Amino acid sequence: AFCSARNIARDKHGFRPTYTGADHGRVRRYWDKLDPDVAIGLDYLRKYRNFCDYDDLLGFDLQVQTQSALTEARDVLRRVGK
């Protein structure tokens, strides 16, 4: 969802990515101006991706959270026009 949001912002809205980690915040702020729900969705997905990448123990049901993340990713893709 992040790459699609970045690329659509680039291709359709004039966003200029740096293709570095800084783009996560920049894309989020860019979409916050266009459609705050996209920014909220991107925040949600990144938060749970970071939990899974860096935490040894997860404080949530992974199966339930995976389904929720997939739903959120689909919603972000729909909202950005993918």
Side-chain angles (χ1 to χ4, degrees), residues 42-77:
L42 292 172
D43 280 345
Y44 173 86
L45 292 169
R46 185 158 192 211
K47 177 174 116 176
Y48 282 99
R49 191 205 82 199
N50 285 344
F51 285 149
C52 291
D53 283 351
Y54 301 113
D55 291 3
D56 289 334
L57 298 173
L58 300 175
F60 52 83
D61 182 312
L62 186 58
Q63 186 173 7
V64 170
Q65 191 56 48
T66 298
Q67 289 305 312
S68 180
L70 288 170
T71 299
E72 189 65 41
R74 286 185 201 106
D75 188 52
V76 167
L77 292 173

Side-chain angles (χ1 to χ4, degrees), residues 28-47:
R28 189 240 176 263
R29 287 187 298 276
Y30 196 86
W31 278 105
D32 195 37
K33 294 175 187 171
L34 295 175
D35 184 340
D37 287 333
V38 170
I40 290 167
L42 292 172
D43 280 345
Y44 173 86
L45 292 169
R46 185 158 192 211
K47 177 174 116 176

